[in-house]
Amino acid sequence: MTNESNIKARRTKALNTPSPLGADAVRDLSGELNALLADILALYLKTKNFHWHMSGPYFRDYHLLLDEQANQIYATVDPIAERVRKLGGTTMRSLGHAKRLQRLLDNDADYVTPDDMLAELREDNLQLAAYMRATHELCEEHGDVATASVLENWIDEAENRVWFLFETSRHA
């Protein structure tokens, strides 16, 4: 074994957390959870972007709603990354890695109307809930009840955000 491969083997072994789920489950679940983590980071940043750039007659209400939702989204980041580690996988290590895994679209527009902001975030949260359901199914396939359990709460939170964004965007 060359010195370079010996170093790489030592570095990898140090992160080899024991898991009762097996190598295939660790690989599949870690991959799916990392993609979910990338989407959550993207949604968090988009929600904060819209929070920072909100304008119009409902500024205060929308600004506060999006700040509250961003905080709720961000609260899932560490638990997801730690689930990956508890399962025996490794998490993403950079924004570049997150960008490669991200499925939700960014919004870099100079100006977005408040109605379009709410609609886009509503659709993103719907899509995030769908990704979480798919991850939940994968958890069931591999017998990962712990991850499935926390996903159920996060799905409910995403659906709650969808509901609030929908009701907030309705016009009298």
Side-chain angles (χ1 to χ4, degrees), residues 42-138:
L43 181 58
Y44 167 75
L45 191 55
K46 183 187 286 187
T47 303
K48 288 302 279 190
N49 170 29
F50 290 170
H51 158 82
W52 296 321
H53 294 99
M54 184 56 69
S55 63
Y58 302 107
F59 166 78
R60 185 176 193 285
D61 292 334
Y62 293 174
H63 182 78
L64 294 174
L65 172 68
L66 297 186
D67 197 36
E68 180 181 297
Q69 290 194 355
N71 289 337
Q72 184 182 66
I73 293 163
Y74 188 74
T76 64
V77 169
D78 198 49
I80 290 172
E82 288 180 355
R83 278 303 309 155
V84 172
R85 292 294 296 127
K86 288 175 194 176
L87 293 171
T90 57
T91 60
M92 66 180 74
R93 291 180 170 87
S94 68
L95 289 174
H97 189 185
K99 185 68 180 163
R100 289 188 299 276
L101 297 175
Q102 173 186 333
R103 298 164 290 190
L104 295 178
L105 299 177
D106 292 330
N107 185 322
D108 296 327
D110 289 338
Y111 176 76
V112 181
T113 68
D115 286 342
D116 288 344
M117 289 179 182
L118 298 179
E120 189 170 332
L121 290 173
R122 184 182 65 240
E123 294 306 312
D124 285 347
N125 276 283
L126 273 171
Q127 188 59 56
L128 181 65
Y131 292 146
M132 288 180 179
R133 279 188 183 83
T135 305
H136 189 280
E137 289 176 17
L138 186 63

Side-chain angles (χ1 to χ4, degrees), residues 158-171:
E159 290 173 343
N160 193 61
R161 291 190 300 270
V162 169
W163 174 41
F164 271 66
L165 291 163
F166 172 74
E167 293 298 341
T168 301
S169 66
R170 293 175 70 174
H171 298 286

Side-chain angles (χ1 to χ4, degrees), residues 142-155:
H142 288 294
D144 181 6
V145 295
T147 305
S149 176
V150 293
L151 280 166
E152 291 166 4
N153 293 323
W154 296 332
I155 291 166

